[in-house]
Amino acid sequence: MNNNKINQNIIWIVYVGIFSVFCLLAGLNGIQVHTKHLNWALSLIVSVVIAILIVRNRSAFIKLFNYRYSIAAVIIIGIILRTAYYVIVSPAQVSDFAQADKFWHYLQETGGYSNYTIKLSEMDDFQKYYSLYPAWGYYMLLMHGIYRLFGPSAVPMVLLNMLCDLGIMIVLFHIIMKCSSRSFATACVSVFSLWPQCVIWASVTSPDHIVIFFLLIMSWMYFEYIENRDNIKKACR
């Protein structure tokens, strides 16, 4: 390996290390740090480093593990980490992430809305909130629909998040495969699958997971169109 390659590897290692520390400090800033939370964050960062090393040195692991199936292993490990984090840490939904739950209980207590209003002075706090953040309004409707089926619990929403993450990893892999190599696609999915904040975020009731999944679906469809553009134009003539 020449000096330029060695220097490049060192730069990447330093970058990942510094970025990991910043992510860790950002995640722990302003909250009471419990030992189990700190241990989780550190162990997840170690997972990312291990994943990067495996991808970069895959030839050394080829005899022990069939690289053709490595993407499946990365995805499975990511889902296991998300499930383990939610079960062991049991994070509570607060702030904006608890709005839909609060709104559900509010509607049960008041019996719902009898009159529709668009006057700001007559709106309650929930109407004002969802008027300002319409994306959360649609997500609230989805959550309340699931609440009617399974009861007011964050568990079904977290399961939906994990299904969306599973879809994100699969679609992301296929999109990158259209632009680059299999190893690079596996590396990108590994980062999303094992990165600490991505694992922790799956436990948060948020529309982000659904939105990202469908945006990637749209991107995949666009790439499919680009590849078959000439055939589509001929068929439309």
Side-chain angles (χ1 to χ4, degrees):
M1 183 180 294
N2 57 43
N3 291 333
N4 289 335
K5 190 69 174 179
I6 294 174
N7 292 336
Q8 185 183 34
N9 289 342
I10 292 174
I11 292 174
W12 275 110
I13 293 171
V14 172
Y15 167 77
V16 170
I18 293 175
F19 189 67
S20 300
V21 171
F22 274 119
C23 286
L24 174 62
L25 294 178
L28 299 178
N29 184 35
I31 66 173
Q32 182 180 358
V33 180
H34 297 283
T35 302
K36 65 178 181 180
H37 295 158
L38 182 60
N39 290 341
W40 261 101
L42 292 175
S43 63
L44 290 172
I45 290 175
V46 170
S47 299
V48 173
V49 174
I50 292 174
I52 292 173
L53 291 175
I54 291 175
V55 172
R56 291 189 61 85
N57 301 282
R58 58 188 179 277
S59 58
F61 297 89
I62 196 69
K63 294 180 180 179
L64 300 176
F65 188 81
N66 190 337
Y67 183 66
R68 187 176 59 176
Y69 301 109
S70 59
I71 184 63
V74 166
I75 291 175
I76 292 171
I77 292 171
I79 297 300
I80 290 174
L81 282 173
R82 284 159 173 75
T83 304
Y85 177 83
Y86 184 75
V87 171
I88 296 173
V89 178
S90 300
Q93 308 295 332
V94 297
S95 187
D96 288 342
F97 311 120
Q99 277 291 331
D101 190 64
K102 294 177 182 177
F103 191 32
W104 169 268
H105 293 292
Y106 173 76
L107 291 176
Q108 304 310 305
E109 294 172 1
T110 60
Y113 293 105
S114 57
N115 297 313
Y116 178 77
T117 180
I118 59 173
K119 293 182 179 180
L120 183 63
S121 59
E122 297 177 0
M123 291 182 179
D124 59 24
D125 291 339
F126 290 105
Q127 290 172 309
K128 293 175 183 177
Y129 180 87
Y130 290 118
S131 297
L132 291 172
Y133 308 105
W136 280 97
Y138 288 110
Y139 187 69
M140 173 272 297
L141 293 175
L142 174 64
M143 287 188 68
H144 285 195
I146 293 177
Y147 280 6
R148 291 187 182 94
L149 295 174
F150 303 103
S153 171
V155 174
M157 301 310 301
V158 173
L159 291 175
L160 179 61
N161 290 346
M162 293 184 186
L163 285 174
C164 288
D165 277 7
L166 174 63
I168 287 170
M169 287 184 270
I170 293 173
V171 176
L172 181 64
F173 176 76
H174 286 287
I175 289 175
I176 299 175
M177 280 283 288
K178 292 180 178 295
C179 313
S180 185
S181 65
R182 185 183 184 88
S183 60
F184 185 70
T186 304
C188 292
V189 174
S190 297
V191 171
F192 178 81
S193 176
L194 305 176
W195 198 257
Q197 268 64 26
C198 292
V199 171
I200 294 171
W201 196 249
S203 299
V204 176
T205 54
S206 162
D208 298 7
H209 311 84
I210 300 173
V211 172
I212 293 172
F213 173 64
F214 281 103
L215 283 174
L216 284 174
I217 288 288
M218 291 174 61
S219 301
W220 193 5
M221 293 172 64
Y222 177 73
F223 275 102
E224 290 288 341
Y225 165 74
I226 293 297
E227 287 184 349
N228 300 283
R229 180 168 46 188
D230 294 338
N231 294 332
I232 293 174
K233 288 181 178 180
K234 290 179 181 178
C236 294
R237 288 174 183 173

